[in-house]
Amino acid sequence: MRKGRPLTVHTLNELLLVCSLVLLVAVAAVRISSRSGLPSLLIYLGIGIAIGQDGIGNVVFDNAELTQVIGYAALVVILAEGGLGTKWKEIKPALPAAIVLSLVGVAISVGITAAGAHYLVGLEWRQALLIGAVVSSTDAAAVFSVLRKVPLPSRITGVLEAESGFNDAPVVILVVAFAAVGPIDDWYVLLGKIALELAIGAAIGLTVGFLGSYGLRHVALPASGLYPIAVMAIAVTAYAAGAMAHGSGFLAVYLAAMVLGNAKLPHWPATRGFADGLGWIAQIGMFVLLGLLVTPHELVNDFWPAVVIGLVLTMVARPLEVLVSLLPFRIPWREQALMSWAGLRGAVPIILATIPMVSGIEGSDRVFNIVFVLVVVYTLVQGPTLPWLARKLELGATDETASDLGIESAPLEKLRGHLLSFAIPPASRMHGVEVSELRLPPGASVTLVVREGKSFVPLPSTVLRRGDELLVVATDPVRDAAEARLRAVARGGKLAGWLGTNGNGPAGGPPGSRR
């Protein structure tokens, strides 16, 4: 289309064609992101900018309110997907540190960043506070997308993951308060609102999560494809209930999803894959839309202010908030240094920057532009250097660990039992173990083995091999014990129980380890 004329879509077919082409390009960009080490958000933002009003597509889009609504919906899906993938046993030891970092750390970050924006850049205090609050939220997807090739100790990943899930809630409350028309509430009023909304959101999220997991574990749905839909519906229900009760819906959806993700639900691998796919779609759609909303030629004047504010945030505010927040936990300085540099900003700050635009706050367009440039520039700087820093600090895991079993469970409601199915991974220590040496609890039995495309009923002396697919039938009372024993053997081999390895430890730990 000739540049200078806005792109218009006249029919549903044309709309579907445009959306499908954008989605295909974005999916292909995932491969580019994985090879370059850059967070995928930059690729998707680039797609949106490329088809926007200063790009080759010349699509004119300036609806900040619609962007905010779609962005909130996408964030709900992303937080749900993140919660489903959070392992409670890995995050539990890091929970106190993550909570302090999400509350005290956010306050420190907002104060220092706002002061820098006011005194160094010359922004008014309301605009400075808005920027300070908006950029105080970290993004787990951006962090772990660049650290996927450098496994870190569970304490670091636990703190970073929990922080990114928890700090969205207080940040949203602060941004809404600063963007409200009229004078800003006193600090103690804001503190009370944050405490109340977090308490309501946490209570609703945990309640919905436990009730939903109980129902899914005790009710056999007519089709396995309904389980992923039900899990996501429960998570979204937690957000809606939390928001309607004037609590933190973002905290509610994250906690509900975390409960569901650790409840050993039926057809879990399929559910996890479905949630992962929805999370990718949400990220792609949200970032492309944000790229459309921005006007590139307007970013030039705000480039250096964004760089200055980003320096204050990255080199002063983030290290100080990590240092102060983690002081009671005596975390080694090397881990604190990596956590300081790993405070990547992603989707949440850009979405939150639309709130003052919708509220009509003076200078809100400049706030959005500064936040946009800050996120892009410092993601380009921090993203590729995170793996390098982890290696320099000698924080990358070096031991080869056994893969965890992806056990899928299907309830047999009329028989009061469960059918467990899984494949033995290449690095599993279950390779070479005889069926009898599994020592499954009474009421559980290996009923079928599929090897190289052929199935047979195993004998007690049958030796299991890597790549084998097993079907295990377990009665309802021993289902959890059977699954725990299978995971233990996968980690520790036939002597798992004697060596101290159990089915509840972190995936892939060596025999006897309890990291």
Side-chain angles (χ1 to χ4, degrees):
M1 179 169 291
R2 183 168 58 87
K3 188 167 181 65
R5 294 180 56 190
L7 174 66
T8 56
V9 179
H10 299 285
T11 67
L12 177 61
N13 292 336
E14 292 178 356
L15 177 62
L16 292 175
L17 177 60
V18 172
C19 292
S20 61
L21 288 176
V22 171
L23 187 59
L24 286 174
V25 172
V27 170
V30 176
R31 183 62 176 174
I32 300 175
S33 172
S34 64
R35 291 198 171 192
S36 64
L38 293 175
S40 54
L41 70 92
L42 296 179
I43 308 294
Y44 307 146
L45 283 174
I47 294 174
I49 294 174
I51 63 178
Q53 55 185 312
D54 283 353
I56 58 176
N58 198 29
V59 176
V60 177
F61 180 79
D62 58 358
N63 194 330
E65 186 173 2
L66 177 61
T67 303
Q68 180 183 327
V69 172
I70 296 177
Y72 269 39
L75 287 176
V76 170
V77 175
I78 293 171
L79 282 173
E81 189 271 333
L84 291 174
T86 300
K87 294 182 179 180
W88 171 246
K89 293 177 180 64
E90 293 183 2
I91 203 176
K92 182 180 178 181
L95 203 56
I99 291 176
V100 175
L101 193 58
S102 302
L103 297 176
V104 177
V106 163
I108 295 174
S109 179
V110 171
I112 294 177
T113 306
H118 177 71
Y119 291 110
L120 298 180
V121 179
L123 296 179
E124 296 180 357
W125 270 115
R126 183 184 288 269
Q127 297 174 2
L129 287 171
L130 277 170
I131 291 179
V134 163
V135 299
S136 294
S137 179
T138 57
D139 187 88
V143 172
F144 293 113
S145 65
V146 297
L147 286 177
R148 60 190 176 274
K149 295 182 180 179
V150 186
L152 295 174
S154 58
R155 178 164 60 178
I156 297 179
T157 57
V159 171
L160 291 175
E161 189 172 352
E163 179 200 10
S164 64
F166 293 155
N167 65 11
D168 290 345
V171 166
V172 169
I173 297 171
L174 287 176
V175 174
V176 172
F178 295 153
V181 178
I184 300 174
D185 293 330
D186 293 326
W187 67 268
Y188 53 86
V189 176
L190 287 176
L191 188 62
K193 288 182 178 179
I194 291 175
L196 178 61
E197 292 194 22
L198 291 180
I200 295 174
I204 291 178
L206 293 173
T207 301
V208 172
F210 281 117
L211 291 177
S213 62
Y214 179 85
L216 289 176
R217 283 169 60 89
H218 291 83
V219 176
L221 298 179
S224 61
L226 293 176
Y227 283 91
I229 298 175
V231 168
M232 293 303 296
I234 292 171
V236 174
T237 298
Y239 170 82
M244 292 177 65
H246 301 287
S248 172
F250 290 115
L251 181 61
V253 66
Y254 182 77
L255 291 179
M258 187 168 65
V259 172
L260 292 167
N262 290 271
K264 298 180 181 178
L265 299 178
H267 304 290
W268 179 243
T271 300
R272 189 72 187 90
F274 178 79
D276 191 44
L278 280 184
W280 276 109
I281 293 176
Q283 289 188 60
I284 291 171
M286 178 173 57
F287 288 133
V288 170
L289 195 62
L290 289 171
L292 280 173
L293 183 63
V294 72
T295 305
H297 70 265
E298 296 179 356
L299 301 178
V300 177
N301 294 332
D302 295 317
F303 179 82
W304 289 113
V307 171
V308 172
I309 296 173
L311 278 174
V312 174
L313 172 67
T314 306
M315 306 307 294
V316 182
R318 176 66 181 180
L320 190 59
E321 72 169 286
V322 171
L323 176 64
V324 174
S325 301
L326 302 183
L327 191 61
F329 304 99
R330 297 182 178 179
I331 294 178
W333 71 267
R334 292 186 303 164
E335 298 183 10
Q336 292 191 36
L338 186 63
M339 291 181 192
S340 298
W341 193 246
L344 289 180
R345 272 64 189 174
V348 179
I350 304 177
I351 289 294
L352 295 182
T354 64
I355 294 178
M357 296 176 68
V358 175
S359 301
I361 299 298
E362 183 180 356
S364 58
D365 290 341
R366 192 181 185 195
V367 170
F368 180 86
N369 291 338
I370 289 176
V371 171
F372 189 93
V373 173
L374 188 154
V375 169
V376 172
V377 170
Y378 284 91
T379 300
L380 280 170
V381 174
Q382 292 174 270
T385 57
L386 267 176
W388 172 84
L389 181 61
R391 289 191 295 269
K392 286 296 182 180
L393 295 174
E394 299 180 353
L395 292 175
T398 57
D399 59 318
E400 293 186 6
T401 55
S403 301
D404 191 23
L405 291 180
I407 300 178
E408 182 166 354
S409 172
L412 307 172
E413 189 175 35
K414 295 182 179 179
L415 302 178
R416 296 180 58 81
H418 293 264
L419 179 65
L420 308 179
S421 61
F422 63 92
I424 301 178
S428 175
R429 293 184 175 94
M430 192 177 287
H431 173 76
V433 175
E434 295 183 3
V435 171
S436 61
E437 293 172 332
L438 292 175
R439 290 189 285 131
L440 296 175
S445 176
V446 180
T447 59
L448 195 68
V449 174
V450 180
R451 179 178 296 167
E452 298 178 354
K454 298 181 180 180
S455 58
F456 60 91
V457 177
L459 299 174
S461 59
T462 298
V463 178
L464 302 176
R465 301 177 183 174
R466 58 178 61 93
D468 285 353
E469 297 180 26
L470 276 66
L471 294 181
V472 178
V473 175
T475 58
D476 192 64
V478 302
R479 183 256 190 184
D480 290 342
E483 183 172 340
R485 176 59 189 168
L486 290 170
R487 294 187 186 277
V489 175
R491 295 185 178 97
K494 64 182 72 175
L495 301 179
W498 296 336
L499 293 174
T501 307
N502 54 50
N504 299 318
S513 70
R514 296 182 184 274
R515 295 180 297 166

